[in-house]
Amino acid sequence: AAVDKSVEIIRYLDHTLDRKYEIGQDLARLYEYFCYELSRVKTGRNRTELDRVKGMVSDLRESFRQANQNQTER
């Protein structure tokens, strides 16, 4: 259930991207990768990727938090 919810959130984020900017295109590819790996985790083919994807998502989340903090401090 947690994997399904994660994929749902990632797909929502993907749909909100503005792909006319390079960062939007890069994030779209990253989100696609996350969904692909999570689908593999769900089917039981690659459980070791779960920790890797979780780490990458956590790093991305922290980057967004830092960027938001930097923006609000201006």
Side-chain angles (χ1 to χ4, degrees), residues 1-61:
V3 171
D4 288 335
K5 184 65 173 177
S6 298
V7 170
E8 185 179 319
I9 291 168
I10 293 167
R11 285 188 178 145
Y12 169 79
L13 292 172
D14 183 59
H15 285 104
T16 64
L17 292 174
D18 188 345
R19 286 176 173 78
K20 70 180 176 182
Y21 299 104
E22 185 176 343
I23 187 69
Q25 295 168 14
D26 293 343
L27 285 170
R29 285 190 294 275
L30 189 58
Y31 292 163
E32 182 180 340
Y33 170 77
F34 290 160
C35 287
Y36 171 75
E37 290 299 337
L38 289 172
S39 71
R40 292 178 65 193
V41 167
K42 186 176 174 183
T43 60
R45 284 187 258 156
N46 199 347
R47 289 253 199 234
T48 59
E49 282 299 306
L50 183 58
D51 289 333
R52 187 173 121 122
V53 171
K54 283 172 57 176
M56 292 173 71
V57 170
S58 294
D59 290 346
L60 183 61
R61 180 183 59 205

